Protein backbone atom coordinates (compact mmCIF):
# COMPACT_ATOMS: atom_id res chain seq x y z
CA UNK A 1 0.00 0.00 0.00
CA UNK A 2 1.42 3.34 -1.01
CA UNK A 3 2.00 6.06 1.56
CA UNK A 4 -0.29 8.51 -0.23
CA UNK A 5 -3.13 5.97 -0.19
CA UNK A 6 -2.69 5.39 3.54
CA UNK A 7 -2.65 9.15 4.12
CA UNK A 8 -5.83 9.57 2.09
CA UNK A 9 -7.56 6.82 4.06
CA UNK A 10 -6.49 8.45 7.34
CA UNK A 11 -7.79 11.85 6.32
CA UNK A 12 -11.03 10.34 5.04
CA UNK A 13 -11.52 8.55 8.37
CA UNK A 14 -10.94 11.74 10.34
CA UNK A 15 -13.29 13.78 8.16
CA UNK A 16 -15.81 10.96 7.89
CA UNK A 17 -16.37 10.87 11.64
CA UNK A 18 -17.37 14.52 11.74
CA UNK A 19 -19.50 14.21 8.61
CA UNK A 20 -21.28 11.22 10.11
CA UNK A 21 -21.90 13.00 13.41
CA UNK A 22 -23.19 16.18 11.74
CA UNK A 23 -25.33 14.10 9.39
CA UNK A 24 -26.83 12.23 12.33
CA UNK A 25 -27.58 15.50 14.13
CA UNK A 26 -29.13 16.98 10.98
CA UNK A 27 -31.20 13.86 10.35
CA UNK A 28 -32.52 13.75 13.89
CA UNK A 29 -33.46 17.43 13.77
CA UNK A 30 -35.16 16.99 10.39
CA UNK A 31 -37.10 14.00 11.72
CA UNK A 32 -38.14 16.00 14.77
CA UNK A 33 -39.24 18.94 12.62
CA UNK A 34 -41.29 16.68 10.35
CA UNK A 35 -42.88 14.90 13.31
CA UNK A 36 -43.83 18.18 15.00
CA UNK A 37 -45.48 19.46 11.81
CA UNK A 38 -47.33 16.28 10.84
CA UNK A 39 -48.23 14.80 14.25
CA UNK A 40 -47.59 17.23 17.12
CA UNK A 41 -48.22 14.72 19.92
CA UNK A 42 -45.84 12.17 18.43
CA UNK A 43 -43.34 14.97 17.78
CA UNK A 44 -43.35 15.95 21.45
CA UNK A 45 -42.83 12.32 22.47
CA UNK A 46 -40.03 11.99 19.93
CA UNK A 47 -38.44 15.17 21.29
CA UNK A 48 -37.85 13.36 24.58
CA UNK A 49 -35.37 11.19 22.69
CA UNK A 50 -34.04 13.59 20.05
CA UNK A 51 -33.12 16.56 22.25
CA UNK A 52 -30.85 14.61 24.64
CA UNK A 53 -29.32 12.66 21.73
CA UNK A 54 -28.48 15.82 19.79
CA UNK A 55 -27.13 17.44 22.96
CA UNK A 56 -24.86 14.45 23.64
CA UNK A 57 -23.59 14.34 20.06
CA UNK A 58 -22.90 18.08 19.98
CA UNK A 59 -21.19 18.03 23.37
CA UNK A 60 -19.06 15.09 22.26
CA UNK A 61 -17.96 16.89 19.11
CA UNK A 62 -17.12 20.03 21.05
CA UNK A 63 -15.15 18.09 23.66
CA UNK A 64 -13.16 16.35 20.92
CA UNK A 65 -12.16 19.72 19.50
CA UNK A 66 -11.18 21.15 22.89
CA UNK A 67 -9.29 18.12 24.14
CA UNK A 68 -6.04 19.05 25.83
CA UNK A 69 -2.89 17.18 25.05
CA UNK A 70 -1.98 14.82 27.82
CA UNK A 71 1.69 14.37 28.41
CA UNK A 72 2.81 10.78 28.07
CA UNK A 73 4.54 9.70 31.24
CA UNK A 74 7.82 7.86 30.95
CA UNK A 75 8.44 4.55 32.70
CA UNK A 76 10.19 6.17 35.67
CA UNK A 77 7.51 8.77 36.31
CA UNK A 78 4.63 6.35 35.83
CA UNK A 79 5.94 3.85 38.36
CA UNK A 80 6.64 6.55 40.95
CA UNK A 81 3.25 8.19 40.45
CA UNK A 82 4.84 11.55 39.68
CA UNK A 83 3.47 14.09 37.25
CA UNK A 84 5.52 16.56 35.28
Amino acid sequence: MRVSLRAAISVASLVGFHVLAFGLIGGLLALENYALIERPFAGVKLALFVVPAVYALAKGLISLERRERDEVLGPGKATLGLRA
Side-chain angles (χ1 to χ4, degrees), residues 17-69:
F17 172 74
H18 288 88
V19 169
L20 178 67
F22 284 126
L24 190 58
I25 289 172
L28 285 171
L29 291 176
L31 176 69
E32 177 63 28
N33 190 22
Y34 175 76
L36 281 172
I37 291 171
E38 293 298 319
R39 302 182 125 212
F41 183 69
V44 171
K45 286 175 34 177
L46 186 62
L48 295 175
F49 165 74
V50 170
V51 171
V54 168
Y55 175 75
L57 285 168
K59 188 169 180 170
L61 283 173
I62 291 169
S63 70
L64 279 176
E65 298 297 325
R66 292 187 181 176
R67 184 171 175 219
E68 296 177 7
R69 292 184 177 250

